[in-house]
Amino acid sequence: MSKVTVVGAGNVGATCANVLAVNEVASEVVLIDIKEGLAEGKAMDIMQTAQLMGFDSVVTGVTNDYSKTAGSDVVIITSGIPRKPGMTREELIGVNAGIVKSVAENILKHSPNAILIIVSNPMDTMAYLSYKVLGLPRERVIGMGGALDSSRFKYFLSQALGCNANEVEGIVIGGHGDTTMIPLARLATYKGIPVSKLLSEDKLNEVVKSTMVGGATLTGLLGTSAWMAPGAAASFVAESIVKDQKKMITSSVYLNGEYGMKDLNIGVPVVIGRKGVEKIVELDLTADEKAKFEASAEAVHKTNAVLKEMKLI
Ligand SMILES: NC(=O)c1ccc[n+]([C@@H]2O[C@H](COP(=O)([O-])OP(=O)(O)OC[C@H]3O[C@@H](n4cnc5c(N)ncnc54)[C@H](O)[C@@H]3O)[C@@H](O)[C@H]2O)c1
């Protein structure tokens, strides 16, 4: 028996609620939005698939009534504006920072023990803001970006290899941005075989590039940012918490010395279980990977500085 709340019933939030229900991640899913009737409508639509899909989870929708979210084990925050073609995730900070802060404060009034999964962009900065202002231990503030970026990396690898994506391993670390994420090609494998043995350097570079602009490519095609894989990725992280699966998932967590970094949230592999972040895994990076990670952290710090200018932290 577990309860998961999804804040924001837009594209990502509603898709996430749907995946949570279909996969029976939680017995109770609450969808909440500021827009009158939207969450209620999306929840009813999902519930009308229950008999077709054969799930028993109950999804309810509410407009801005946080009392209905009380006692949530996990809360996924997707509220805010998405990017339009040509925009970077970082350009969303002005609007989304205020939304994420107020939403998280409301959530904690009713679910003081909840573990938060932050999805709204620029995600690393929104996760950092949440950690800084809410007074929660860092284990309970998880930024979702690496789960999605790693899934995209595995997709592009499987396309290049002509194989099943479930048989490919690959992780993406660093910031959740077109230029800041670092797909770790060196560690990617197909059935335990390093992909560098199976793909040419050029092909592998192409896969890395496609992964990095994966979100922007979809934004160009769809006219707004993608939602299927992002919604599923947020549910994937929630499932590891609720079911104590202890999966290793790249997530944006607050670093306090790990990887030689301090005072930022950035994507690193972590073990996720019932307590949230249960372990930060420190990979042995090469000099080149380290340099890329440092540049990525620098860019994230720069975006975080806007929070100070806005007097939000
Ligand atoms: N981290 C990731 O990997 C990832 C991936 C995709 C999208 N995103 C981000 O997720 C966010 C949502 O994207 P989307 O495509 O679902 O956008 P969307 O516009 O479809 O949905 C956002 C929803 O948030 C709601 N909202 C706004 N202010 C609110 C508030 N104060 N309280 C409750 N609800 C509020 C809106 O009414 C809307 O329904 C964006 O910031 C987007 O950039 C992140």
Side-chain angles (χ1 to χ4, degrees), residues 5-20 29-33 38 42 46 76-83 89 92 96 117-121 123 144-145 148 152 176 219 222 224-236:
T5 287
V6 182
V7 187
N11 286 336
V12 177
T15 305
C16 180
N18 187 48
V19 177
L20 288 166
V29 178
V30 177
L31 195 52
I32 182 166
D33 201 285
L38 182 71
K42 296 269 177 107
I46 293 170
I76 301 167
I77 300 181
T78 77
S79 47
I81 52 165
R83 57 181 173 158
R89 295 172 176 93
L92 307 172
N96 287 355
I117 300 174
I118 312 295
V119 178
S120 311
N121 274 320
M123 182 279 295
M144 194 295 290
L148 171 66
R152 285 181 174 153
H176 176 61
T219 304
L222 299 166
T224 184
S225 73
W227 57 88
M228 296 290 187
S235 171
F236 183 76

Side-chain angles (χ1 to χ4, degrees), residues 194-235:
V195 294
S196 54
K197 289 202 161 58
L198 305 169
L199 296 173
S200 68
E201 205 181 324
D202 281 355
K203 193 75 199 163
L204 205 43
N205 285 338
E206 214 178 278
V207 166
V208 166
K209 203 159 164 255
S210 303
T211 304
M212 293 175 76
V213 297
T217 302
L218 286 166
T219 304
L221 290 168
L222 299 166
T224 184
S225 73
W227 57 88
M228 296 290 187
S235 171

Side-chain angles (χ1 to χ4, degrees), residues 133-152:
V133 300
L134 299 173
L136 296 177
R138 66 174 176 168
E139 291 73 20
R140 284 174 51 200
V141 181
I142 304 173
M144 194 295 290
L148 171 66
D149 299 331
S150 300
S151 182
R152 285 181 174 153

